[in-house]
Amino acid sequence: MASRVNKTALHPGGVEPALERTEIEEELYERANIDYDRVDIISNPSVASLYEDELVHEPGSGIVSSGALSTYSGEKTSRSPLDKRIVREESSEGKIWWGPFNKAMSPEVWRINRERAIDYLNTRDRIYVIDGFAGWDERYRLNIRVVCARAYHALFMRIMLVRPSQEELKHFHPDYVIYNAGAFPANRYTEGMTSATSVAINFGEKEMVILGTEYAGEMKKGVLAVFYYEMPVKHGVLTLHSSANAGEAGDVTVFFGLSGTGKTTLSADPRRSLIGDDEHCWSNQGIFNIEGGCYAKCIGLSKEKEPDIYRAIRFGAVLENVVFDSETRAVDYDDGTLTEDTRCAYPIEYINGAKIPCLSTTHPTNIILLTCDAWGVLPPISKITTQQTMFYFISGYTSKVVGTGEDVGEPQAIFSSCFGQTFLALHPMRYAEMLADRIAHHKANTWLLNTGWIGAGARNGGKRCPLKYTRAILNAIHSGELANGEYEIYDTFNLQIPTSVTGVPAETLNPQKSWKSGGADLKQEVTQLAKLFMENFKKYEDEAAPDVVKAGKQTQCAFRVGG
């Protein structure tokens, strides 16, 4: 603090000279009218200082026995996709895939929500600024600035963004700014608001505003949504909601899959280097990770099942909504009292063998579409054509089971186009066509890998495909065994399935041969799943390429006579 001057007997306090303001403080004042005289702006603090602030100011936080910081996200313990908004503005309006996951927000409502968020931030004693890069390839990276009121949010994004050097931070200027005022609700009576939660992106002003949710994942996925717009529109680069790894020879595999299909587990392969676990881009130069960290599910986590993730939960990592022992501080990863969606964020370099920098100049050799089929009618592994790849990519299918034991009910199908429809900015066919072009140009092999039920469906006495079989299938893909193997046609889906895979019993590879409860039951399950597939695909047929529509119709016809 500067010394006071001009002290006199009448005015012993004198005059305090104006403080010299930092570049960040001046930018926040000019851009958002954030009052640096009223609020303490803490810029790019250390991990240790964020730990301290979280422990002092956030009830329920604590340091667990492994050294990670545990925190509670608040009432919202998962994302709110139906509260996502995109501002309808001139530069992006004609490109956006408007619909239930890209609801339009008027510029007037945007200004109201933005002002509401900034007013809230101006009432805090302290706010945090985190600057970081999105994208490991410097040719395409975006500079992201996060302005938030919780130390937990600051540490989370410090982990999830690519961390700049001190030299790079000196004159960092953002391409996009995220204003996170999640503890303060949106005004539900504002036009277009359907709840107290609003997650809004303005591609014209290059800003994002969060109100009414303190779930940190909204920031991470907001950056992904920005990439789903910026990369294809401005650079011709394909954004992927996927994991990726690389073999010793540099061969790259990309994994698509919704929650519960094994995307994180299977990409963490001790024989291969992890490029990233969730968000990537495929450019003309190769593959690069968007993020600087990983964000893994923790429910049921164990050292035996997920050793790499388990070891990564240490000082510098953030645990969300887990339950820990108040004396030993040991985490009970099986306890879902606060939520079944417990999570941990950790820097990617905490994974042994991670590929740093997280990019590859080698184009993918294998593209794997993961699903967890509870009907038990999809083969454990299928080799698929480019047109089938587009069909299953647009479908983005998996399923989940309700109930346990003898009380298992009918499976619930989940479809999410491009395996990430809530994040897409453009129509799914735009991304599917870009993927097909790259697969064809680089002669990548494409596979449909089912980590779900085999022998029968979940309600017919089937069992989950053992992880050791799935790992054996992946080994056969990476060794080239399956690329050069013999195949038979699985008529039910018009899929090519291998006649043998090293380490996998041959009878498990074809559902028509492995189904235990009879052909009638198989046909019934096939018919049910087929109907769901085709009903979902109708949403995209109007913009689908003719060969993709044909692939879907071939599947539909095969479904009708399957079993």
Side-chain angles (χ1 to χ4, degrees):
M1 183 177 290
S3 300
R4 291 177 177 271
V5 298
N6 296 345
K7 298 177 183 178
T8 66
L10 290 174
H11 300 287
V15 177
E16 182 179 359
L19 294 175
E20 184 175 343
R21 294 300 175 182
T22 67
E23 203 170 284
I24 288 176
E25 289 173 331
E26 293 289 358
E27 283 187 5
L28 288 176
Y29 180 76
E30 292 173 8
R31 181 167 184 159
N33 200 32
I34 290 179
D35 190 346
Y36 46 62
D37 288 326
R38 179 183 298 173
V39 59
D40 185 15
I41 300 174
I42 304 171
S43 303
N44 298 305
S46 67
V47 170
S49 66
L50 289 169
Y51 263 52
E52 291 170 354
D53 280 4
E54 180 70 14
L55 294 171
V56 169
H57 301 295
E58 298 286 350
S61 61
I63 301 175
V64 301
S65 57
S66 67
L69 179 68
S70 176
T71 188
Y72 177 54
S73 66
E75 181 181 350
K76 299 267 188 178
T77 56
S78 61
R79 290 183 301 102
S80 301
L82 295 179
D83 292 307
K84 175 187 168 187
R85 303 287 193 280
I86 292 180
V87 178
R88 192 182 289 276
E89 52 83 32
E90 185 177 1
S91 69
S92 62
E93 181 177 4
K95 305 177 183 73
I96 299 300
W97 181 42
W98 300 106
F101 298 110
N102 288 322
K103 296 176 182 175
M105 173 181 278
S106 70
E108 292 75 23
V109 171
W110 161 261
R111 285 192 289 270
I112 291 170
N113 281 12
R114 183 180 186 272
E115 192 72 8
R116 191 173 177 87
I118 290 168
D119 284 349
Y120 171 78
L121 294 171
N122 269 326
T123 66
R124 302 299 89 195
D125 293 331
R126 72 197 67 77
I127 61 173
Y128 302 92
V129 175
I130 296 295
D131 291 330
F133 302 127
W136 281 83
D137 190 327
E138 295 182 13
R139 289 165 290 202
Y140 304 109
R141 70 172 28 157
L142 294 175
N143 292 357
I144 306 294
R145 171 165 289 165
V146 179
V147 185
C148 56
R150 292 187 66 178
Y152 144 57
H153 289 156
L155 181 55
F156 178 89
M157 288 305 284
R158 189 185 191 278
I159 292 168
M160 295 311 301
L161 293 171
V162 181
R163 290 161 288 286
S165 66
Q166 288 301 312
E167 187 63 30
E168 289 170 323
L169 283 173
K170 283 183 180 178
H171 299 290
F172 184 98
H173 297 288
D175 297 309
Y176 274 80
V177 178
I178 300 172
Y179 299 104
N180 189 338
F184 196 61
N187 187 332
R188 291 176 295 170
Y189 299 104
T190 304
E191 182 182 357
M193 292 296 100
T194 54
S195 75
T197 300
S198 174
V199 180
I201 300 173
N202 189 321
F203 290 119
E205 295 188 10
K206 297 182 181 296
E207 291 183 338
M208 177 179 176
V209 168
I210 299 173
L211 291 166
T213 174
E214 298 178 78
Y215 184 66
E218 295 287 9
M219 295 180 286
K220 161 190 157 66
K221 292 305 187 186
V223 173
L224 177 59
V226 167
F227 264 69
Y228 265 117
Y229 176 78
E230 291 274 344
M231 292 300 111
V233 170
K234 298 183 179 179
H235 302 288
V237 170
L238 174 60
T239 300
L240 307 169
H241 186 216
S242 68
S243 59
N245 63 24
E248 291 183 1
D251 57 295
V252 172
T253 295
V254 171
F255 299 82
F256 293 100
L258 299 177
S259 178
T261 59
K263 178 162 60 79
T264 300
T265 299
L266 297 175
S267 60
D269 187 330
R271 303 183 185 190
R272 301 172 65 82
S273 298
L274 181 68
I275 299 173
D277 78 324
D278 195 47
E279 302 175 8
H280 292 82
C281 288
W282 190 350
S283 72
N284 290 335
Q285 292 76 34
I287 288 281
F288 67 88
N289 188 354
I290 295 173
E291 302 182 296
C294 301
Y295 192 39
K297 280 195 168 187
C298 289
I299 196 72
L301 179 69
S302 70
K303 187 176 182 179
E304 294 70 32
K305 290 191 295 185
E306 303 275 10
D308 286 337
I309 295 173
Y310 191 89
R311 287 192 295 264
I313 302 175
R314 58 184 194 259
F315 180 81
V318 176
L319 283 162
E320 285 180 330
N321 305 320
V322 299
V323 174
F324 59 84
D325 187 284
S326 59
E327 295 184 4
T328 67
R329 301 299 176 91
V331 178
D332 183 353
Y333 290 110
D334 293 321
D335 193 328
T337 298
L338 297 177
T339 177
E340 290 290 317
D341 193 21
T342 55
R343 295 270 181 167
C344 182
Y346 49 86
I348 193 167
E349 59 267 26
Y350 282 16
I351 294 291
N352 291 336
K355 193 177 188 306
I356 307 295
C358 300
L359 50 79
S360 175
T361 55
T362 302
H363 293 277
T365 303
N366 292 291
I367 308 294
I368 297 176
L369 277 56
L370 296 166
T371 186
C372 177
D373 176 34
W375 273 270
V377 297
L378 289 178
I381 183 65
S382 309
K383 194 175 192 304
I384 52 178
T385 66
T386 300
Q387 291 73 28
Q388 287 174 322
T389 300
M390 293 178 73
F391 175 78
Y392 286 108
F393 180 68
I394 292 168
S395 299
Y397 163 70
T398 192
S399 60
K400 66 179 181 179
V401 172
V402 178
T404 58
E406 296 180 356
D407 295 324
V408 170
E410 181 177 319
Q412 294 182 1
I414 300 169
F415 294 98
S416 181
S417 54
C418 307
F419 296 93
Q421 70 180 13
T422 59
F423 320 122
L424 305 182
L426 315 178
H427 191 281
M429 275 307 305
R430 176 78 176 271
Y431 305 106
E433 288 167 353
M434 292 179 74
L435 178 63
D437 288 345
R438 281 158 173 74
I439 289 170
H441 183 73
H442 299 289
K443 298 180 173 58
N445 298 311
T446 54
W447 313 89
L448 180 65
L449 196 158
N450 175 26
T451 62
W453 275 254
I454 58 175
R459 60 177 174 174
N460 300 100
K463 303 294 182 183
R464 282 294 295 266
C465 185
L467 182 58
K468 64 180 180 179
Y469 292 173
T470 303
R471 292 259 186 221
I473 290 169
L474 281 177
N475 291 339
I477 289 173
H478 291 141
S479 70
E481 175 188 337
L482 286 188
N484 300 308
E486 294 184 359
Y487 287 82
E488 59 183 346
I489 298 298
Y490 179 38
D491 293 330
T492 305
F493 291 87
N494 197 28
L495 296 172
Q496 299 179 70
I497 59 175
T499 56
S500 66
V501 178
T502 301
V504 182
E507 63 271 15
T508 67
L509 297 173
N510 189 332
Q512 289 175 322
K513 298 176 182 178
S514 64
W515 194 269
K516 297 176 181 177
S517 56
D521 285 339
L522 173 59
K523 186 172 183 178
Q524 178 181 340
E525 298 297 84
V526 165
T527 302
Q528 177 65 17
L529 183 57
K531 181 180 179 182
L532 295 172
F533 256 103
M534 302 319 299
E535 285 178 353
N536 175 72
F537 191 68
K538 287 177 182 177
K539 296 183 289 187
Y540 313 110
E541 274 189 330
D542 60 331
E543 295 199 33
D547 53 352
V548 179
V549 174
K550 182 179 178 181
K553 287 183 177 178
Q554 285 175 343
T555 304
Q556 184 179 28
C557 292
F559 277 145
R560 286 173 177 167
V561 299

